[in-house]
Amino acid sequence: MGNAGLIVFMYVGIGLLIMGFSVLLFMVKFELGPVSNLSPGRRWLMTLVLGSGMVAFSIKLFILATLVKFPDLTIKWSIAEQKGPLVVDWEQLNKDAPGIRLPGIQQAYVWRTLPDRAPFPAWNPTTPEKVALGKRLFHDKALSIDRTLSCSSCHDVLNGAGEDHRSGSLGVGGQVGGRNAPTVWNSGFQSVLFWDGRAASLEDQAIGPPLNPVEMGMPSAEAVEQRIRDNPSYREPFARAFGADQPITIKQITAAIAAYERTLITTDTPYDRFVRGDEEALSKAQLRGMALFQSVGCILCHAGPNFSAASVFDPPQEPRRLFPVFDSPKYMTRYNLLKDTGSNPSGSKQAAWRVPSLRNVALTAPYLHNGSVDNLSEVVRIMATVQRGKRISNDVNDNKTIVWSGQDKTLARIESAPLSDRDVNDLVEFLKSLSSDSLLARSKSGAL
Ligand code: HEC
Ligand code: HEC
């Protein structure tokens, strides 16, 4: 819509205004004037008073109509900063990429890019001084009892993708933990942290590892404070970050680490470039994968710009989900997935976990809370089967599933297209589009 459209629109508006005024003049001269016996001067006054209301109203209408009709020319500059959401035309995408099945796409899902700044709590704004201090603390081995481990030992952010590539992390004294280390990249956008979502903020989270006996093994928060106070070179940076005359406290230590973590953001991905308008950014397979990611319902849990319902983006959703939703003894036994039940009480038949972000997932094997699966395609099969009740089959006519409901004692037939190996592959390709270029370049140069 160009300037020509705007000019026609303005002419029509001005024409209508002139018409309105003529009607008003006509009414005052031949109707209202004679009835109320006004002098010619007062008739003009009356026309002016009535007319000014009309003009004000038309100006309002005009402004509103222009904003609505020409958002590109009027309000786009003010929303450009937010790197606007992109609504994908699924019908067109489906036509462009024949072969994909998109059952049940009823509404357009808004695919969004990550903002380049993470939100922070009001009491702990992200300042450059705090970030610099937090970065130093994150890499300081003084936070562990035997001075062998820093946060970055398990969350390698300088040379890796923010984790350690192990199923269970290696803590002090060679102890192996029961859970996989998630990446800290983009954790600033998560609404709750840890696999089971037990920490409500990065500040709360950061006190966990130093005091965890199988991670950094410090005896108490006071001991952590003392370690940092003992190092005189920390005085100046703490004073700059928090003000000169305060003693170093655990609250400041965790606040600085959290501020640093909030700057660990990756928006340099093919997916984000695609959402910002670069149509060439995704391959055909990735586009099909993206469509499947929606139609299969991965977005029910891995929703929003950080691909996790447990993130700070609207609308707020339940951050923890059952896993498995559909029983699949095959996968559950093979990968020992029910030993740890996450945030559900132990002994429960179903486990519940915080929905993890899928950004950089192709760079952060092994997968799941216990790091039991080392291949992304297998995780996608598990997710499709146990979270969405899908079958994996290459037989295109095989779209009837018979389900036995033990509770109702009935057999039901559900029509649902299975996922083919190609579909699984396309989903994996799409997940690869969430990898940051810079993290990927490091992995190619052998650093990961
Ligand atoms: C011994 C390895 C190890 C060390 C050292 C370590 N972590 Fe972790 N980190 C883990 C593991 C394992 C988890 C997952 C634990 C869980 O969910 O129960 C985790 C989880 C996290 C998370 C949550 C991420 C998310 O998406 O939920 C953050 C943030 C984090 N660590 C930051 C830190 C910070 C800050 C430090 C240093 C103070 C640190 N870690 C030290 C292994 C480690
Ligand atoms: C009902 C909610 C739900 C749905 C639907 C769902 N997921 Fe998940 N996803 C989860 C949860 C919860 C976890 C963590 C499970 C665990 O670690 O034990 C997870 C983990 C993952 C992981 C591993 C992440 C990591 O870092 O280890 C991948 C990859 C993944 N999902 C992809 C998908 C794909 C692809 C789909 C669609 C086929 C999908 N998910 C559908 C809830 C869901």
Side-chain angles (χ1 to χ4, degrees):
M1 213 174 302
N3 286 335
L6 184 61
I7 288 166
V8 172
F9 185 66
M10 273 172 63
Y11 278 142
V12 173
I14 293 171
L16 282 176
L17 196 62
I18 293 175
M19 264 171 63
F21 239 94
S22 318
V23 172
L24 185 66
L25 268 176
F26 186 82
M27 273 176 60
V28 173
K29 192 165 166 60
F30 298 106
E31 288 287 328
L32 298 174
V35 170
S36 53
N37 240 341
L38 288 178
S39 68
R42 296 213 161 158
R43 284 186 197 182
W44 276 114
L45 197 65
M46 184 182 214
T47 319
L48 266 179
V49 170
L50 291 175
S52 61
M54 207 157 97
V55 171
F57 189 65
S58 7
I59 290 176
K60 254 196 237 168
L61 270 186
F62 179 75
I63 293 176
L64 266 178
T66 320
L67 289 182
V68 172
K69 203 158 161 47
F70 303 103
D72 277 6
L73 297 177
T74 51
I75 48 173
K76 196 180 171 193
W77 60 272
S78 69
I79 52 173
E81 267 295 284
Q82 300 170 9
K83 307 217 173 92
L86 178 96
V87 180
V88 176
D89 181 347
W90 289 106
E91 262 175 43
Q92 191 55 43
L93 190 59
N94 205 1
K95 275 187 217 138
D96 291 349
I100 51 170
R101 294 183 291 268
L102 296 175
I105 286 197
Q106 275 130 13
Q107 68 195 51
Y109 171 71
V110 181
W111 294 91
R112 287 182 287 165
T113 169
L114 269 187
D116 43 27
R117 256 167 297 176
F120 47 77
W123 66 270
N124 188 23
T126 311
T127 62
E129 293 77 18
K130 257 186 246 169
V131 172
L133 172 62
K135 182 171 180 182
R136 193 175 151 191
L137 289 164
F138 194 89
H139 293 90
D140 192 341
K141 293 184 175 164
L143 290 182
S144 60
I145 187 74
D146 56 2
R147 298 182 188 266
T148 55
L149 294 180
S150 68
C151 309
S152 63
S153 307
C154 300
H155 304 284
D156 185 1
V157 286
L158 297 183
N159 300 307
E163 43 82 72
D164 56 6
H165 280 317
R166 299 177 50 92
S167 347
S169 293
L170 200 56
V172 286
Q175 304 178 81
V176 179
R179 288 184 187 168
N180 166 256
T183 179
V184 286
W185 285 101
N186 307 307
S187 59
F189 295 105
Q190 292 303 80
S191 58
V192 291
L193 297 142
F194 283 129
W195 282 103
D196 50 13
R198 67 186 182 278
S201 68
L202 284 173
E203 286 83 356
D204 283 0
Q205 192 285 326
I207 188 56
L211 303 187
N212 187 325
V214 298
E215 290 187 350
M216 302 167 105
M218 295 293 280
S220 66
E222 292 74 38
V224 180
E225 287 172 346
Q226 203 50 51
R227 273 283 172 87
I228 303 301
R229 286 182 196 154
D230 286 348
N231 182 344
S233 71
Y234 266 123
R235 276 179 214 149
E236 161 102 29
F238 267 91
R240 254 184 277 130
F242 298 102
D245 37 48
Q246 299 187 32
I248 293 175
T249 61
I250 192 73
K251 191 170 176 197
Q252 293 174 344
I253 296 171
T254 52
I257 292 178
Y260 166 61
E261 287 172 316
R262 291 198 174 97
T263 65
L264 299 171
I265 296 171
T266 56
T267 53
D268 57 337
T269 75
Y271 165 79
D272 292 276
R273 280 195 295 282
F274 178 76
V275 172
R276 287 192 210 107
D278 174 1
E279 289 178 13
E280 308 289 300
L282 296 185
S283 68
K284 278 263 152 60
Q286 289 175 325
L287 279 175
R288 280 194 297 270
M290 186 172 173
L292 283 165
F293 194 81
Q294 172 169 348
S295 64
V296 172
C298 309
I299 54 162
L300 294 174
C301 297
H302 300 283
N306 211 23
F307 292 84
S308 164
S311 64
V312 295
F313 301 99
D314 291 331
Q317 299 188 25
E318 174 50 49
R320 296 174 191 86
R321 302 293 169 94
L322 290 179
F323 173 72
V325 174
F326 297 88
D327 222 2
S328 167
K330 174 176 104 179
Y331 287 131
M332 293 300 134
T333 333
R334 186 180 303 163
Y335 300 112
N336 201 10
L337 291 171
L338 285 178
K339 181 173 172 232
D340 183 345
T341 46
S343 64
N344 261 4
S346 61
S348 154
K349 202 168 163 264
Q350 277 173 316
W353 298 98
R354 186 273 316 255
V355 179
S357 162
L358 298 183
R359 282 188 174 265
N360 299 309
V361 72
L363 307 176
T364 60
Y367 302 109
L368 302 179
H369 63 272
N370 59 0
S372 57
V373 184
D374 52 15
N375 145 340
L376 195 49
S377 148
E378 182 75 347
V379 186
V380 170
R381 285 164 198 270
I382 297 175
M383 281 285 139
T385 316
V386 312
Q387 298 301 75
R388 297 301 299 140
K390 285 275 176 189
R391 279 163 315 110
I392 317 282
S393 159
N394 289 325
D395 176 0
V396 285
N397 298 317
D398 174 16
N399 59 356
K400 312 249 188 321
T401 316
I402 307 290
V403 193
W404 167 248
S405 160
Q407 202 179 357
D408 303 339
K409 305 268 181 284
T410 50
L411 274 177
R413 198 173 80 168
I414 296 173
E415 299 225 357
S416 158
L419 285 186
S420 66
D421 287 329
R422 181 192 176 190
D423 293 335
V424 170
N425 185 54
D426 290 343
L427 278 164
V428 170
E429 285 303 310
F430 172 61
L431 292 178
K432 287 186 188 159
S433 82
L434 307 178
S435 296
S436 141
D437 293 343
S438 48
L439 297 192
L440 187 63
R442 287 183 208 160
S443 85
K444 288 211 172 114
S445 67
L448 272 185

